[in-house]
Amino acid sequence: MDIRFSQCFIAVDDHDKALAFYRDILGLEVRNDVGFENMRWVTVGPPSQPDVNIVLEPPLADPNASPADQRAMAELLAKGLLRGVIFTTDDCDATFEHIRAAGGEVLQEPMDQHYGVRDCAFRDPAGNMIRFNQPREN
């Protein structure tokens, strides 16, 4: 059996701000931009990984969701309680400086972790935590 990663979803409340972060700062390429019933899904991914996609979607991408559920998801997103993604980089410190210089909201400066990586963390414009880690040599 051959199972490979294909897509993950990140909730965003403003696709244009999200694109300014994921495309313009991180350098991900836009692969698809689809609208449906006042909602929008934008697929981005690393140029070096054409088969890996991150879908930027509305906080509750269900046109049949109740207004109460939509508000609850928007509140969780605003608090930064929805999960983001972890990227791997070959130079955590340079990645950190690039994103910080571009205005990224710093959550954690680069530091060595006990589980074998050097990592840093930012919030994207919607409040999701995005981490960047670099494997350390043993």
Side-chain angles (χ1 to χ4, degrees), residues 60-134:
L60 186 58
D62 180 352
N64 299 313
S66 72
D69 289 343
Q70 290 174 356
R71 282 191 303 277
M73 285 299 291
E75 289 172 8
L76 290 172
L77 179 62
K79 292 177 182 179
L81 296 176
L82 302 180
R83 302 300 298 167
V85 297
I86 299 174
F87 291 94
T88 298
T89 179
D90 60 354
D91 189 335
C92 181
D93 294 274
T95 298
F96 175 81
E97 290 302 330
H98 170 78
I99 298 170
R100 181 173 67 172
E105 181 185 342
V106 176
L107 289 178
Q108 176 202 302
E109 292 192 8
M111 63 184 294
D112 293 337
Q113 301 289 359
H114 68 278
Y115 45 88
V117 300
R118 181 165 181 80
D119 74 352
C120 63
F122 291 86
R123 285 212 190 279
D124 75 2
N128 298 297
M129 181 173 52
I130 308 299
R131 300 189 75 83
F132 300 87
N133 69 35
Q134 173 186 352

Side-chain angles (χ1 to χ4, degrees), residues 13-22 125:
D13 55 359
D14 185 321
H15 282 82
D16 294 325
K17 287 181 182 177
L19 281 171
F21 180 77
Y22 289 97

Side-chain angles (χ1 to χ4, degrees), residues 25-74:
I25 295 174
L26 300 187
L28 302 182
E29 62 186 13
V30 175
R31 298 185 177 154
N32 208 355
D33 192 335
V34 177
F36 177 73
E37 292 191 20
N38 297 322
M39 289 184 281
R40 183 178 177 193
W41 291 261
V42 179
T43 304
V44 297
S48 63
Q49 294 179 292
D51 58 341
V52 173
N53 296 293
I54 299 169
V55 182
L56 307 174
E57 68 173 353
L60 186 58
D62 180 352
N64 299 313
S66 72
D69 289 343
Q70 290 174 356
R71 282 191 303 277
M73 285 299 291

